[in-house]
Amino acid sequence: MREIQKYIHKVQYYETDQMRVVHHSNYIRWFEEARVDLMEQMGMGYDRMEELGIASPVLGVEADYLRMVRFGDTVSIRTRMKEYNGIKLTLEYEVTDENTGMVHCRGLTKHCFLNEKGRPVSLKKDYPDIHALFVGVMGQEK
């Protein structure tokens, strides 16, 4: 598997408030954009997972806002798997200004895997090929 690349996002005007500062809720959206990008880089995009009947809902979100991001800034978002056991997944995010290299936000999201009936799924047991993709990404980060 190739090395996972950071996700790049240019701040749009609609993401800001009257002071041209990014509204805090948009960081959560950026986490999702970065998560979708990570899954696609892994070769297991959400569209493919859903075709297989696997959902991955968000169980929790945390964000620590360190510095403001403003309209016109470009940020990179590094996404890292913090925990994965085949049933649950925790991802960490670091939002960094592309020009200065300063970290502006850190956060995490927690997920599980469910089948079409809303019951927990063990990727390790039921989808070993998908499980191997997640383990491969975890191995890159160690």
Side-chain angles (χ1 to χ4, degrees), residues 6-114:
K6 62 188 176 183
Y7 175 73
I8 305 295
H9 180 83
K10 182 172 173 64
V11 176
Q12 302 300 307
Y13 188 75
Y14 72 87
E15 296 175 308
T16 64
D17 59 20
Q18 195 171 17
M19 298 181 300
R20 294 187 174 196
V21 173
V22 172
H23 188 272
H24 67 276
S25 65
N26 287 299
Y27 293 85
I28 307 305
R29 290 180 178 94
W30 297 350
F31 293 171
E32 181 171 339
E33 291 174 19
R35 181 170 63 253
V36 168
D37 182 67
L38 170 72
M39 300 289 285
E40 289 172 354
Q41 288 188 59
M42 288 172 53
M44 183 47 62
Y46 274 104
D47 54 345
R48 184 163 171 231
M49 284 184 66
E50 289 175 357
E51 286 172 7
L52 295 170
I54 304 167
S56 183
V58 176
L59 301 175
V61 176
E62 295 177 19
D64 294 318
Y65 306 101
L66 308 172
R67 291 176 185 77
M68 292 181 282
V69 176
R70 297 182 181 275
F71 171 65
D73 290 349
T74 300
V75 294
S76 62
I77 304 163
R78 288 252 180 231
T79 308
R80 188 181 79 76
M81 287 188 195
K82 181 178 180 183
E83 297 173 358
Y84 170 74
N85 65 8
I87 299 170
K88 289 188 177 181
L89 169 69
T90 301
L91 297 170
E92 292 181 319
Y93 308 88
E94 189 171 78
V95 179
T96 304
D97 185 288
E98 275 290 278
N99 292 321
T100 67
M102 294 180 77
V103 176
H104 286 255
C105 181
R106 288 191 180 100
L108 64 82
T109 55
K110 295 179 181 182
H111 307 264
C112 67
F113 300 99
L114 302 176

